[in-house]
Amino acid sequence: MLKEFKAFALKGNMIDLAVGIIIGGAFGKIVTSLVNDIIMPLVGMLVGNMDFTNLFVVLSEGNFATLEEAQAAGALTLNYGLFINNIVDFLIIAFSIFLVIKKLNSLKKKEEEATPPANTKTCPYCFEEINKDATRCPRCTSELSI
């Protein structure tokens, strides 16, 4: 069982997946910083100097000017501003992944188009793939027309 696990874990696809997850986590941090530190302050400025991180509703008693004050006091809050930040964060990550996948698919199509045509044909009797210059099928030994 240990040998099977080792063979599974060390396959090329598994290593690629692990690297992808690590890079994805780092990319997520960059996008989160982009949203929180650059995009949302600009959006907040455009909609009247609004700080989305301080959009919240206190579900318990008390009035608080900022989310930090409410959390420090132990008040129960509904943080819809942070939820908006997370939605924008998700949309940017999803769009970025879409662009990467789109580019990879276009490169894959170009690679498929660049491959030369196959040097084979199908035997009309047994449907085996054979060399296009063959005059007799190696599988069923039928004579083929040229």
Side-chain angles (χ1 to χ4, degrees):
M1 188 167 160
L2 184 60
K3 288 181 183 179
E4 289 177 21
F5 178 74
K6 183 179 176 183
F8 170 75
L10 296 179
K11 282 185 179 177
N13 292 342
M14 185 62 78
I15 303 294
D16 293 343
L17 180 62
V19 170
I21 290 172
I22 292 168
I23 291 174
F27 180 71
K29 289 180 182 180
I30 291 169
V31 171
T32 299
S33 176
L34 173 72
V35 169
N36 292 337
D37 301 331
I38 296 174
I39 293 175
M40 293 313 285
L42 293 174
V43 170
M45 186 179 73
L46 291 174
V47 294
N49 291 330
M50 183 182 300
D51 182 10
F52 282 87
T53 58
N54 280 322
L55 295 178
F56 65 98
V57 174
V58 179
L59 300 176
S60 57
E61 293 184 24
N63 289 332
F64 304 98
T66 66
L67 180 60
E68 288 103 19
E69 287 178 13
Q71 289 175 339
L76 185 60
T77 59
L78 183 71
N79 307 323
Y80 65 93
L82 294 176
F83 182 70
I84 292 170
N85 280 356
N86 288 330
I87 289 173
V88 173
D89 192 18
F90 168 77
L91 291 174
I92 290 172
I93 290 174
F95 184 68
S96 300
I97 291 172
F98 167 75
L99 292 177
V100 168
I101 298 292
K102 185 175 178 178
K103 185 64 177 175
L104 286 175
N105 285 341
S106 69
L107 291 174
K108 195 176 196 180
K109 284 182 184 178
K110 286 181 184 177
E111 183 179 295
E112 288 174 359
E113 292 171 359
T115 56
N119 196 21
T120 61
K121 64 181 177 182
T122 304
C123 174
Y125 302 103
C126 68
F127 303 105
E128 182 75 17
E129 288 292 317
I130 57 174
N131 188 299
K132 72 175 185 172
D133 297 328
T135 57
R136 189 175 286 270
C137 178
R139 181 169 185 230
C140 69
T141 68
S142 299
E143 287 191 33
L144 306 170
S145 59
I146 298 176

